[in-house]
């Protein structure tokens, strides 16, 4: 079993900062891409930022220059530093990881996407 747990969501005023964390645990052999998604009320889920195992990053245009994604491979953790927050950043933020997991005692492995349950970020104006 692999679990992803997010933390760091909070209520913050516009212009403020938050740092989200997402820690993966379980029968993990390796983690490939790690991504942050968000979904605001009444809107579709969108990919906010992604990072490969080698550290290459991508961002949606609306957060470029304000958000920074990073990861600690030794801790199986991905972070999202969010600065200059705006009310339109209000959403539930969820992480996704493409995990190579060990599925039996013989060491068989499968690659699957795993999701966290999310953490709420609320930005007041």
């Amino acid at each position: 079993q692999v679990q992803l747990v997010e933390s760091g969501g909070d209520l913050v005023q516009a212009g403020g900062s938050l740092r989200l964390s997402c820690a993966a645990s379980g029968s993990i052999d390796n983690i490939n891409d790690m991504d942050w998604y968000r979904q605001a009320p009444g809107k579709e889920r969108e990919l906010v930022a992604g990072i490969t195992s080698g550290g290459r990053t991508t961002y949606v245009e609306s957060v470029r220059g304000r958000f920074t994604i990073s990861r600690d491979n030794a801790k199986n953790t991905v972070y999202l530093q969010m600065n200059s927050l705006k009310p339109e950043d209000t959403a539930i933020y969820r992480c996704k990881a493409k995990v190579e997991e060990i599925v039996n005692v013989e060491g068989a492995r499968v690659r699957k996407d795993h999701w966290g349950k999310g953490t709420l970020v609320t930005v007041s104006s």
Side-chain angles (χ1 to χ4, degrees):
Q1 288 278 353
V2 174
Q3 288 187 322
L4 272 63
V5 179
E6 301 98 335
S7 61
D10 205 345
L11 170 64
V12 64
Q13 287 189 333
S17 298
L18 285 174
R19 189 193 196 208
L20 306 184
S21 299
C22 171
S25 61
S27 302
I28 298 170
D29 184 50
N30 189 42
I31 301 179
N32 303 131
D33 297 348
M34 303 184 83
D35 305 309
W36 283 100
Y37 287 77
R38 68 184 179 187
Q39 187 165 19
K43 294 188 176 181
E44 293 188 354
R45 184 175 63 199
E46 70 170 345
L47 174 62
V48 177
I51 185 168
T52 67
S53 57
R56 188 169 67 244
T57 59
T58 58
Y59 299 93
V60 68
E61 186 59 35
S62 61
V63 307
R64 196 181 306 275
R66 299 188 297 123
F67 291 9
T68 302
I69 189 171
S70 61
R71 63 190 286 171
D72 184 332
N73 292 329
K75 296 181 178 180
N76 291 333
T77 299
V78 62
Y79 305 97
L80 187 67
Q81 178 66 43
M82 306 186 295
N83 299 328
S84 302
L85 283 161
K86 303 176 181 180
E88 51 263 42
D89 294 318
T90 295
I92 294 174
Y93 286 70
R94 298 178 69 190
C95 64
K96 186 184 78 169
K98 187 175 295 293
V99 179
E100 295 177 11
E101 54 185 295
I102 301 168
V103 296
N104 61 32
V105 294
E106 286 79 24
R109 291 161 173 79
V110 296
R111 184 181 298 176
K112 289 177 57 177
D113 285 340
H114 290 274
W115 289 84
K117 293 184 178 180
T119 186
L120 177 62
V121 172
T122 304
V123 184
S124 63
S125 57

